[in-house]
Amino acid sequence: DANVSEQGLLVMNHEYINQTFLHNAGPQVDAEGRRPEDEVLREMNSHGVSVIHLEKDETTQVVTIKKDIKTRRCHGELSFRYN
């Protein structure tokens, strides 16, 4: 069928974090109320989306992940352009 695609993109949103699980000692705050930079970066990188390029074998119907530029993890530190 000309209208059927054997490829697709699966996009998963990563929006919720639990600081207790991200940091061994839980989230830290210094006397001035500041957070350690490495904890902040870890939390920022935990948010975002994963884009996974999938391909289905026409004969076996097995779905595999294509390792190409479309398969990626997008987060707040990633710069990109809209086309």
Side-chain angles (χ1 to χ4, degrees), residues 18-72:
N18 186 323
Q19 294 174 322
T20 304
F21 298 133
L22 279 178
H23 314 298
N24 291 338
Q28 304 297 305
V29 179
D30 69 14
E32 286 87 37
R34 293 180 301 213
R35 304 275 318 284
E37 182 179 358
D38 64 317
E39 287 188 9
V40 173
L41 290 173
R42 185 177 300 133
E43 292 173 17
M44 286 175 56
N45 289 333
S46 295
H47 290 82
V49 296
S50 292
V51 180
I52 303 162
H53 187 184
L54 301 174
E55 184 172 49
K56 181 174 71 173
D57 184 285
E58 191 175 327
T59 305
T60 65
Q61 303 297 300
V62 172
V63 177
T64 56
I65 296 173
K66 287 191 73 168
K67 295 180 180 170
D68 63 17
I69 195 161
K70 293 176 188 162
T71 297
R72 64 177 63 208

Side-chain angles (χ1 to χ4, degrees), residues 2-15:
N3 296 319
V4 175
S5 175
E6 302 301 331
Q7 297 184 43
L9 296 176
L10 173 64
V11 179
M12 293 182 288
N13 186 23
H14 307 286
E15 179 173 311

